[in-house]
Amino acid sequence: MNAIKSGLFWEIGPYLKDYKNLSNLSKVQFESTKIQGKTYSLYRARPLARFGVTFRKDWLDNLNLKEPKTPEEMYEVMKAFTRNDPDKNGKDDTYGVLAFKDGQGYLIPHIASWFGAPNDWKEENGQFTPSFMTNEYFEALKYIKRLYDEKLMNQDFVVTEEQQMNSLYNQGKAGINLGLFDDVGKSQLELRKINPQAKVGILDTITGPKGQRIWSQPGYTGVFLFPKSSVKTEAELKQILAFFDRLQEPDAVNLLTWGIEGKQYKLTNGQAEKIVSDDAFNNDTLGLGELRIDDGSKELILTGEDPLTTKGKQLIKDNVKIVVTNPALSLYFESPTWSQKSNELKKIVSDGAVKFIMGKIDEDGWKKVQEDWKKAGGDKVLTEFADIFAKSKNK
C-alpha cells in the first residue's frame, strides 16, 4: 500500500480508454480496487452476483407448493419441508434449511439482502454505518431466530462445518440451500448419487420490502499491478496493457479456457468438447486461467453441460442489475484500524449474531454488541472511512 502511495507503481486509469476491451471492464469492480480514488490495477474478474437460492423441486412438487417469492413464503416452504415429510419416507428427518458455523458466509447475507440491509456498509453523505447496525439487518436476524426457535434449521449449526452442511444437503436432509449459483449443477449431481430421482430448482431471487436485491461479491480475486522498477517506460506499459486487452478477444479467452482446438478440445455444434482425459486436460491448461481478467461471457459452453448449470450461469449474469455493492471495499486497504482489527471486529458481530439467533441475548444484548464493536475500534474505523472517502472524492 505504501509503495503504491509512494509512486512506485503505474497509475493505469488514464490509459484504459485507449483499449477497446479494457475500457469496457466493469466500473463497479474497478471502483472496489481503487487506491485514493485512482486505478492502479487490472482485477482478475469473478462474478458479482453469485448468491442464489437452490431448492428441492421434487419436494416442492410432492407437497403441491409453489416456488416462494417473498421471505414469508420462503418461511412457509421451510416449515413444510421440515414438518410435512417432503421426501415421503415416513420419517421426521428433514430441515427447511441448513446453516454452518460461519453465519456471515451465506445464511445472514442471503436473508439480510431479502430484508433490504446494505451490503456490509451503508454510505450516506460521506458517513458510514455498518450493516449490522441497521434495522433491516436486525429484521433478518429475527427471521433467522424464528427458523432456529421453530427447529426449521439445524440446531447444531454453531459447530457445523461448511463441508458437513453441504454433505447433509446432498444426502437429502434439507430442502433449501442458500449458497452460490456456481454450484447448482454439481449439487444436483451429488444428490442424484444417493437419490437418482432428486430434482433441483433455482430461484431468481426473493422479493423483500425493498424489492429484489442481492449482496454482491467483491468481483475479483487478486489484481495485476505494474511496478515502475520492471515496467520502466510508458511505452512498455502500453504494450502490456495491449496484451491484456488482446486476451479478452474470444479466441484468446477460449485458448486460456479450453486450450488449443484439435489438441485439447474440438467444436461440436458451436460448443467445446474435450478430446483428452480430464487429467491430461488439467495438466495441459494448468496456470492459463491465472492470466484471465475477462468475465467469462465470451468463453465457449462445454458440450453436454447440465441445463441447471447453464441456467445458474445465466442468472449470475442477469442478476448483476440487482446487486447491492459494498461501498467500503476500496477503503479496507487504506484504513489502519480496519487492517489491524478487522478480524476482531468481525468476530464481535459474528458471535453476537449467533447468540441472538440462539436466544442467549435479547434486543438489548444486541445493542450492547454494537457498543462493544465501537469501543473495540469500530468508532475509529468509521472516522477513518469517512476521512479516506472524502479525500478520494477530492482527487
Side-chain angles (χ1 to χ4, degrees):
M1 180 60 65
N2 289 332
I4 292 174
K5 292 180 179 178
S6 299
L8 298 180
F9 290 83
W10 287 93
E11 180 195 353
I12 65 170
Y15 298 95
L16 298 180
K17 66 181 186 306
D18 299 327
Y19 300 90
K20 179 181 70 172
N21 296 308
L22 297 183
S23 61
N24 285 319
L25 290 174
S26 167
K27 291 179 173 56
V28 171
Q29 282 144 295
F30 268 129
E31 196 65 34
S32 298
T33 59
K34 283 184 176 179
I35 303 296
Q36 295 183 324
K38 296 180 178 180
T39 298
Y40 290 89
S41 61
L42 293 176
Y43 60 84
R44 293 184 60 230
R46 290 295 181 273
L48 286 169
R50 298 174 69 198
F51 277 149
V53 180
T54 307
F55 66 95
R56 286 293 297 271
K57 188 178 186 309
D58 50 337
W59 288 13
L60 210 65
D61 294 342
N62 285 345
L63 300 176
N64 294 314
L65 295 172
K66 295 180 180 179
E67 291 183 9
K69 301 297 183 184
T70 67
E72 193 59 28
E73 288 178 9
M74 176 63 82
Y75 161 77
E76 293 295 339
V77 167
M78 289 179 180
K79 184 163 67 171
F81 279 177
T82 305
R83 299 178 181 172
N84 296 352
D85 191 20
D87 56 0
K88 301 300 181 185
N89 70 352
K91 299 177 183 179
D92 181 13
D93 60 353
T94 56
Y95 289 106
V97 67
L98 295 168
F100 71 108
K101 63 184 182 181
D102 181 10
Q104 308 296 332
Y106 298 121
L107 182 71
I108 293 176
H110 271 85
I111 296 175
S113 72
W114 301 350
F115 283 89
N119 183 352
D120 282 350
W121 300 87
K122 177 174 72 173
E123 181 272 317
E124 199 168 31
N125 299 320
Q127 300 301 307
F128 287 80
T129 303
S131 183
F132 74 92
M133 290 188 182
T134 64
N135 291 331
E136 294 89 346
Y137 191 100
F138 189 57
E139 288 301 312
L141 284 189
K142 289 193 289 185
Y143 181 95
I144 298 169
K145 177 172 168 52
R146 178 164 60 149
L147 301 180
Y148 181 82
D149 288 346
E150 297 182 18
K151 296 182 171 55
L152 309 186
M153 59 182 279
N154 51 316
Q155 301 292 283
D156 62 350
F157 77 96
V158 73
V159 294
T160 301
E161 300 289 343
E162 183 178 6
Q163 188 173 357
Q164 288 176 288
M165 179 190 73
N166 291 334
S167 178
L168 287 169
Y169 178 78
N170 292 334
Q171 291 168 26
K173 298 301 181 183
I176 301 292
N177 181 31
L178 304 180
L180 304 174
F181 274 151
D182 315 54
D183 301 331
V184 293
K186 180 181 176 182
S187 175
Q188 181 165 261
L189 185 64
E190 292 299 318
L191 271 167
R192 286 179 173 172
K193 288 179 181 177
I194 297 173
N195 179 2
Q197 307 306 314
K199 294 180 182 178
V200 173
I202 53 180
L203 296 177
D204 185 355
T205 186
I206 296 296
T207 303
K210 295 186 178 180
Q212 293 185 329
R213 296 157 56 92
I214 291 176
W215 282 12
S216 75
Q217 305 287 291
Y220 66 94
T221 174
V223 297
F224 288 101
L225 287 161
F226 306 91
K228 292 180 178 177
S229 59
S230 53
V231 184
K232 297 186 181 300
T233 67
E234 184 181 51
E236 286 181 60
L237 176 66
K238 289 181 176 180
Q239 279 185 321
I240 295 171
L241 292 176
F243 170 74
F244 278 105
D245 192 69
R246 177 68 180 86
L247 286 184
Q248 291 174 86
E249 294 295 332
D251 62 335
V253 168
N254 286 304
L255 174 66
L256 299 180
T257 306
W258 303 113
I260 299 172
E261 185 180 355
K263 289 192 173 182
Q264 282 78 38
Y265 78 98
K266 66 178 181 179
L267 280 177
T268 303
N269 298 323
Q271 298 180 337
E273 181 181 350
K274 293 179 185 177
I275 55 176
V276 295
S277 69
D278 285 344
D279 285 345
F281 179 84
N282 292 336
N283 185 61
D284 291 347
T285 59
L286 183 66
L288 290 178
E290 299 300 313
L291 287 170
R292 291 184 62 175
I293 62 170
D294 65 282
D295 64 3
S297 61
K298 298 175 183 176
E299 72 180 47
L300 292 165
I301 293 174
L302 181 64
T303 184
E305 182 174 85
D306 187 282
L308 195 65
T309 298
T310 305
K311 184 178 179 182
K313 288 179 178 179
Q314 189 59 49
L315 284 177
I316 287 173
K317 295 175 186 176
D318 293 346
N319 285 345
V320 167
K321 63 182 180 293
I322 58 171
V323 294
V324 178
T325 58
N326 178 349
L329 262 183
S330 66
L331 309 183
Y332 291 166
F333 305 117
E334 301 187 63
S335 165
T337 306
W338 183 257
S339 297
Q340 295 165 11
K341 296 194 170 185
S342 59
N343 288 339
E344 177 187 347
L345 293 171
K346 288 177 182 178
K347 190 173 189 305
I348 290 171
V349 178
S350 181
D351 289 352
V354 167
K355 288 176 181 177
F356 181 82
I357 291 166
M358 297 180 73
K360 295 182 178 180
I361 61 173
D362 57 10
E363 185 170 354
D364 287 337
W366 180 244
K367 290 177 180 175
K368 185 178 183 302
V369 169
Q370 298 179 21
E371 291 304 314
D372 291 345
W373 183 89
K374 290 178 182 177
K375 291 175 184 175
D379 268 346
K380 285 188 70 177
V381 170
L382 297 180
T383 300
E384 290 171 7
F385 277 9
D387 231 19
I388 298 163
F389 185 80
K391 289 176 181 175
S392 71
K393 294 303 175 185
N394 292 328
K395 290 290 181 182

